[in-house]
Amino acid sequence: MPTGQQGPDRRSSTHVCRVLAPHRPDAKVVGVDPVNGMLTMAKALVPTAVLHRSTAERLPVDTGAIDLVLSTTSFGHWSDQAAGLAEVARVLGDGGRCHIAELKPARLFRRMFFRLPEFRTPEQMRLLVEGAGLVCDEATTFGNNIVLTVATTRTVRRI
């Protein structure tokens, strides 16, 4: 993240939070997770993070206050993906970016668990992102089981 920028990590205790924060000590990390245990783990990984117990559909962040939203392997668990993306669009400032990386559950995993993540194809992700008012810069598959989506806010050209 560029100097002074901030962004929430939707799955706040993930590897992303631990890896990015040391490289950008000047960035403010805001984490959101509905599970207290995940927030506790995140606080241990990044003690300076501002953490909130909430969901993607109700981000406790001011409109336009975020520069970068990262979601790693949690998008499939959002109860209302369209509403969550609308919230992402709301909290992103001009030129803000959203990166979503989602892992398709393995066949064995899909058979073992009753409630599985809602996996979306790149085209479905593009439609969801654009439906939320974001610009889909990229929606692609890596291998057979990872979909990466990159989106930005529509910037308003000021005269």
Side-chain angles (χ1 to χ4, degrees):
M1 288 179 271
T3 302
Q5 290 193 341
Q6 62 180 342
D9 171 16
R10 170 57 189 88
R11 259 334 222 199
S12 48
S13 67
T14 63
H15 180 69
V16 172
C17 196
R18 179 177 56 206
V19 169
L20 285 183
H23 296 287
R24 297 311 313 221
D26 55 332
K28 179 180 177 184
V29 176
V30 179
V32 176
D33 200 290
V35 179
N36 281 331
M38 298 300 277
L39 295 171
T40 300
M41 288 171 43
K43 196 63 166 178
L45 293 170
V46 185
T48 58
V50 176
L51 304 173
H52 301 279
R53 184 168 186 248
S54 191
T55 65
E57 297 83 4
R58 292 178 182 233
L59 295 174
V61 179
D62 291 337
T63 299
I66 299 296
D67 301 301
L68 175 64
V69 171
L70 301 173
S71 174
T72 55
T73 67
S74 72
F75 184 77
H77 296 283
W78 296 6
S79 61
D80 185 338
Q81 294 171 336
L85 285 169
E87 270 293 272
V88 167
R90 179 186 68 78
V91 303
L92 283 174
D94 284 347
R97 297 178 63 84
C98 172
H99 294 244
I100 300 171
E102 194 60 28
L103 180 66
K104 182 177 183 179
R107 198 174 283 153
L108 175 61
F109 183 80
R110 290 192 305 255
R111 284 185 290 198
M112 291 174 59
F113 295 94
F114 181 71
R115 167 76 168 93
L116 294 174
E118 177 108 22
F119 184 76
R120 302 290 186 165
T121 65
E123 184 55 32
Q124 290 171 322
M125 288 301 297
R126 180 176 302 284
L127 292 172
L128 279 167
V129 163
E130 290 172 352
L134 296 167
V135 176
C136 187
D137 299 317
E138 181 177 5
T140 189
T141 302
F142 290 100
N144 292 325
N145 60 348
I146 299 174
V147 172
L148 174 66
T149 306
V150 178
T152 53
T153 57
R154 298 180 200 278
T155 55
V156 178
R157 194 174 192 127
R158 293 185 170 89
I159 300 174

